């Protein structure tokens, strides 16, 4: 797919090496594009000649639920089934990050991670139980939960195994979405879990909640009591509509800034406990491998991270000249403070423009003008959050972990731009 | 004028239908012991939640060969699904093999997982007795217990898993 280019302007202000420009220069370059083409037609009824097919007949009628343009049919999640026909519902689908702009992931393109397929649940039959170390064990119908005061937050959800193929020794060649698309960002609306826990009356001994889904895995994960009480959401709505089945309809947990693995979908019960469950999912899938062979459990907070989505593998550049570099940055700790971009493999860096709104624990869109001179280049982005955490270089990330670690990969991504305009994944 | 008279009546009617709860929060209904008992299926590391019954290796062979072996291999070596045995010494390599024997810190999680999630195509069909049997057999396959050991709610939490000391709590001192 060709990435749009602007022809321009020679007196631009460099922001860093490799052709990175200040934002002002880019706008000037874009303006230059408009000049030049002027057509003069004075023939009679020229409008008949120029009319487009879409202007000459009424379009189709209304629809109850709109769909993307037929011309966008290739914008799809990439599906990876881990065990093939043995377990067709165990795997992931990756958000095509490189084909999207803005910060909201369309609900139908939100990444998926299922262990036992997508549960289809009749909301009238569904109950949420709150029990365990509580004074009053409670159950909630969906209808009753829908009457609760709700909060709305724009939050990213990221699988702890996102980008894990970059932890492998050799760079895997795949699109940006296939490498990094186990992260998505939605506007989530739901009931604060803390309200439900307070109504049940949690015991002083409470240290964890064990959340379980009503899917065929009965997926079970433990969550510390602090985030459960502070900002966990029992989400019923996503991007203005009720949750998609793939996202846990009729309700799921959303834990701002924490790995989405503990955001249990098809949420069926929340049990207050004094110890974690040490369930298969949190042990066998949910622990970090450290260099000496030990494993770190309960590392939930997602690190600061960014990736250039345009251009990236999946796109190609058609000729030298102006392009807008764009990407996404996010942090599980706070808002993004800055994103720096390099076009020369990390020798020099320039600050990207952060597109408002810049929200805590959400995607932030960044962009910067770039005048590509047609020579090989290496594009990189490096995010820093408001807590002062900066995205690590790949070598620094690797040093923290054992060789088999595939979780919480948040190192700087480098895209090699070849002189023919193609892009590929490289390790720097 | 008509509208002004009808709206308040509609609101009053709506409020009266759920009078016990009034408006706003506290809409959860009391959940009874039996209702909770049938959904409260997770097993804690200390064995809390384990049902009555017991498993032996001899019982386990039968259930395992019928319901597990076709995907996990007749001795847990793996097949179309993951290996359940082996992997000891692999955790520092580029290709760690995390099995019950090489990785899991608590044997209770095996009972918990098998009962709620296995077999993959028919989860929640194993009885407690079948789950005890399979749990016992898989622990024996891993060399964690002896051939004549019996697993029950008292013995299972006491099983010492090989990687029991292999975990640290990531809520402290995690990497940035």
């Amino acid at each position: 797919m060709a990435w749009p280019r602007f022809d321009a302007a020679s007196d631009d202000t460099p922001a860093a090496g490799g052709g990175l420009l200040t934002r002002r220069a880019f706008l000037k370059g874009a303006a230059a594009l408009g000049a030049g083409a002027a057509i003069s037609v004075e023939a009679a009824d020229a409008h008949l000649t120029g009319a487009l097919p879409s202007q000459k007949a009424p379009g189709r009628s209304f629809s109850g639920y709109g769909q993307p343009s037929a011309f966008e049919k290739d914008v799809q999640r990439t599906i990876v089934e881990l065990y093939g026909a043995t377990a067709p519902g165990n795997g992931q689908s990756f958000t095509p990050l490189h084909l999207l702009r803005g910060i909201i992931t369309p609900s139908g393109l939100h990444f998926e991670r299922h262990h036992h397929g997508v549960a289809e649940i009749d909301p009238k039959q569904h109950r949420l139980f709150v029990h365990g170390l509580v004074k009053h064990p409670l159950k909630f119908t969906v209808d009753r939960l829908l009457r609760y005061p709700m909060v709305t937050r724009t939050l990213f959800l990221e699988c702890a195994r996102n980008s894990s193929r970059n932890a492998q020794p050799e760079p895997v060649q795949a699109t940006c979405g296939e490498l990094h698309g186990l992260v998505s960002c939605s506007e989530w609306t739901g009931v604060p879990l803390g309200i439900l826990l307070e109504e049940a009356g949690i015991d002083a001994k409470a240290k964890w909640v064990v959340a379980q889904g009503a899917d065929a895995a009965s997926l079970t994960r433990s969550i510390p009591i602090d985030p459960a009480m502070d900002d966990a959401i029992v989400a019923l709505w996503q991007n203005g509509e009720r949750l998609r089945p793939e996202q846990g309809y009729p309700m799921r947990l959303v834990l701002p800034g924490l790995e989405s693995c503990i955001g249990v979908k098809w949420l069926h019960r929340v049990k207050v406990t004094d110890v974690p469950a040490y369930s298969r999912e949190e042990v066998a899938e949910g622990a970090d491998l450290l260099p000496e062979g030990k494993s770190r459990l309960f590392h939930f907070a997602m690190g600061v991270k960014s990736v250039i989505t345009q251009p990236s593998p999946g796109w190609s550049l058609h000729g030298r000249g102006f392009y807008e570099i764009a990407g996404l940055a996010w942090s599980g700790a706070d808002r993004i403070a800055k994103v720096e971009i390099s076009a020369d493999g990390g020798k020099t860096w320039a600050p990207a423009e952060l597109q408002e709104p810049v929200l805590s624990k959400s995607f932030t869109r960044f962009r910067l003008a770039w005048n590509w001179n047609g020579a090989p280049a290496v594009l990189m982005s490096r995010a820093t959050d408001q807590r002062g955490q900066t995205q690590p270089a790949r070598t620094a990330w690797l040093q923290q972990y054992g060789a088999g670690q595939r979780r919480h990969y948040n190192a700087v991504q480098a895209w090699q731009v070849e002189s023919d305009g193609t892009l590929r994944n490289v390790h720097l | 004028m008509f509208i002004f008279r009808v709206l308040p009546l509609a609101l009053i009617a709506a409020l009266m239908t759920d009078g016990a709860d009034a408006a706003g929060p506290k809409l959860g209904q009391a959940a009874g012991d039996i209702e909770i008992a049938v959904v409260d299926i997770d097993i804690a590391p200390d064995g809390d939640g384990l049902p009555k019954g017991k498993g032996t290796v001899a019982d386990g062979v039968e259930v395992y060969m019928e319901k597990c072996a076709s995907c996990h291999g007749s001795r847990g070596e793996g097949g179309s699904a993951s290996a359940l045995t082996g992997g000891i010494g692999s955790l520092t390599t580029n290709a760690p093999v995390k099995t019950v024997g090489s990785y899991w810190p608590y044997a209770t999680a095996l009972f918990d997982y098998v009962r709620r999630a296995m077999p993959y195509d028919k989860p929640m069909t194993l009885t407690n007795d079948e789950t005890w049997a399979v749990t016992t057999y898989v622990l024996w396959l891993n060399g964690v217990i002896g051939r004549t050991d019996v697993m029950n709610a008292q013995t299972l939490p006491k099983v010492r898993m090989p990687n029991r000391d292999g975990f640290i709590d990531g809520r402290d001192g995690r990497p940035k």
Side-chain angles (χ1 to χ4, degrees):
Chain A
M1 213 170 291
W3 186 240
R5 170 178 66 105
F6 292 98
D7 294 313
S10 55
D11 60 339
D12 305 312
T13 316
L20 294 177
L21 301 175
T22 61
R23 182 68 188 162
R24 190 186 57 77
F26 175 75
L27 291 172
K28 194 164 57 177
L33 183 67
I39 304 165
S40 171
V41 179
E42 293 182 5
D45 294 330
H47 65 286
L48 297 180
T49 309
L52 301 166
S54 58
Q55 293 175 299
K56 294 171 80 169
R60 66 165 169 72
S61 190
F62 305 94
S63 55
Y65 197 108
Q67 299 296 319
S69 162
F71 297 99
E72 296 296 317
K73 65 179 167 38
D74 293 335
V75 181
Q76 300 278 329
R77 296 184 284 216
T78 299
I79 299 165
V80 176
E81 292 182 345
L82 299 175
Y83 298 94
T86 297
N90 190 348
Q92 304 115 0
S93 71
F94 291 71
T95 295
L97 297 174
H98 54 296
L99 303 180
L100 305 175
R101 284 292 288 253
I103 59 171
I104 298 295
T105 309
S107 299
L109 295 173
H110 194 290
F111 83 88
E112 301 168 273
R113 167 73 178 112
H114 314 307
H115 292 71
H116 278 61
V118 177
E120 293 284 350
I121 292 176
D122 176 352
K124 293 212 177 327
Q125 304 302 320
H126 190 76
R127 299 288 181 275
L128 171 63
F129 291 92
V130 177
H131 68 109
L133 294 175
V134 299
K135 290 189 190 69
H136 314 289
L138 296 175
K139 63 180 175 186
F140 298 88
T141 63
V142 175
D143 282 345
R144 281 174 181 253
L145 278 178
L146 286 169
R147 292 165 57 188
Y148 269 70
M150 305 237 176
V151 292
T152 295
R153 288 188 68 180
T154 301
L155 298 164
F156 76 85
L157 289 183
E158 184 174 21
C159 174
R161 286 183 71 94
N162 191 27
S163 317
S164 63
R165 287 190 286 180
N166 269 358
Q168 295 176 14
E170 294 302 318
V172 174
Q173 297 310 321
T175 66
C176 174
E178 289 161 348
L179 291 168
H180 299 292
L182 294 182
V183 63
S184 304
C185 186
S186 296
E187 186 202 75
W188 299 100
T189 296
V191 182
L193 177 61
I195 292 179
L196 307 182
L197 291 170
E198 274 181 15
E199 289 187 359
I202 63 170
D203 191 280
K205 293 198 293 286
K207 290 195 172 61
W208 295 83
V209 301
V210 175
Q212 188 166 70
D215 60 329
S218 297
L219 187 101
T220 304
R221 292 295 303 250
S222 308
I223 300 155
I225 194 71
D226 287 348
M229 288 294 291
D230 293 348
D231 60 359
I233 300 169
V234 178
L236 295 142
W237 307 83
Q238 177 188 9
N239 297 331
E241 63 182 357
R242 296 287 293 281
L243 300 191
R244 297 290 173 98
E246 309 100 280
Q247 296 309 321
Y249 182 87
M251 64 185 73
R252 71 168 297 166
L253 279 178
V254 170
L255 290 136
L258 305 185
E259 61 184 32
S260 60
C261 328
I262 59 175
V264 173
K265 295 180 290 193
W266 311 290
L267 183 67
H268 184 34
R269 66 190 180 95
V270 173
K271 180 183 185 180
V272 180
T273 68
D274 56 350
V275 290
Y278 292 95
S279 71
R280 190 205 78 88
E281 291 86 1
E282 62 202 33
V283 170
E285 298 180 18
D288 299 331
L289 287 163
L290 301 178
E292 69 277 16
K294 295 255 186 192
S295 295
R296 175 182 285 116
L297 274 170
F298 311 131
H299 169 200
F300 300 126
M302 299 309 293
V304 59
K305 188 165 173 179
S306 69
V307 63
I308 293 172
T309 54
Q310 291 111 352
S312 64
W315 291 104
S316 56
L317 307 179
H318 282 205
R320 58 200 292 182
F322 275 80
Y323 295 87
E324 184 174 63
I325 295 170
L328 293 166
W330 62 98
S331 166
D334 208 325
R335 284 182 297 143
I336 292 296
K338 66 173 174 179
V339 178
E340 300 159 288
I341 294 181
S342 174
D344 54 13
K347 289 195 208 59
T348 60
W349 297 84
E353 176 167 338
L354 301 186
Q355 171 67 56
E356 294 290 338
V358 178
L359 303 168
S360 181
K361 304 174 186 180
S362 160
F363 275 174
T364 293
R365 178 62 69 175
F366 64 84
R367 44 203 169 83
L368 190 64
W370 179 43
N371 187 14
W372 183 44
N373 65 6
V378 177
L379 299 176
M380 303 163 78
S381 65
R382 182 173 67 191
T384 300
D385 68 20
Q386 292 285 357
R387 305 286 174 94
Q389 300 184 109
T390 296
Q391 203 178 352
R394 184 170 178 277
T395 47
W397 184 87
L398 289 171
Q399 281 169 7
Q400 302 175 99
Y401 294 112
Q405 165 74 351
R406 296 291 182 269
R407 290 166 29 86
H408 287 267
Y409 186 94
N410 69 325
V412 168
Q413 171 69 60
W415 301 132
Q416 171 77 49
V417 181
E418 307 291 8
S419 51
D420 67 359
T422 58
L423 287 100
R424 64 187 173 90
N425 183 18
V426 289
H427 287 346
L428 277 191
Chain B
M1 282 301 111
F2 180 71
I3 287 173
F4 287 118
R5 286 169 59 193
V6 169
L7 268 184
L9 286 173
L11 281 172
I12 289 164
L15 288 171
M16 284 175 69
T17 55
D18 243 330
D21 301 312
K26 299 212 170 186
L27 296 173
Q29 297 165 291
D33 291 347
I34 293 172
E35 279 179 297
I36 297 290
V38 298
V39 297
D40 183 10
I41 57 171
D42 64 281
I43 311 294
D46 67 359
D48 188 36
L50 282 171
K52 291 181 184 142
K54 66 177 171 58
T56 65
V57 174
D59 296 339
V61 176
E62 279 187 37
V63 181
Y64 182 91
M65 294 308 287
E66 185 192 336
K67 307 202 174 196
C68 318
S70 61
C71 295
H72 291 289
S74 59
R75 296 188 61 80
E77 71 277 18
S80 60
S82 306
L84 307 175
T85 60
I88 303 248
S90 71
L91 299 183
T92 54
T93 71
N94 187 39
V97 180
K98 299 173 178 177
T99 71
V100 174
S102 72
Y103 205 63
W104 296 26
Y106 296 104
T108 47
L110 181 57
F111 186 99
D112 173 75
Y113 185 71
V114 169
R115 188 171 66 168
R116 69 176 152 87
M118 287 290 125
Y120 185 89
D121 57 342
K122 289 177 189 158
M124 291 282 209
T125 59
L126 295 182
T127 64
N128 283 335
D129 282 349
E130 288 172 322
T131 310
W132 275 120
V134 168
T135 301
T136 308
Y137 183 67
V138 171
L139 290 173
W140 175 73
L141 282 178
N142 276 285
V144 177
I145 61 172
R147 179 179 266 284
T148 56
D149 286 348
V150 174
M151 290 294 105
N152 58 37
Q154 284 70 49
T155 56
L156 185 69
K158 296 198 183 85
V159 171
R160 181 81 187 169
M161 299 298 281
N163 197 38
R164 172 68 187 88
D165 296 328
F167 292 88
I168 59 174
D169 190 330
R171 288 171 299 160
D172 300 312
R174 63 170 174 262
K176 294 296 178 198

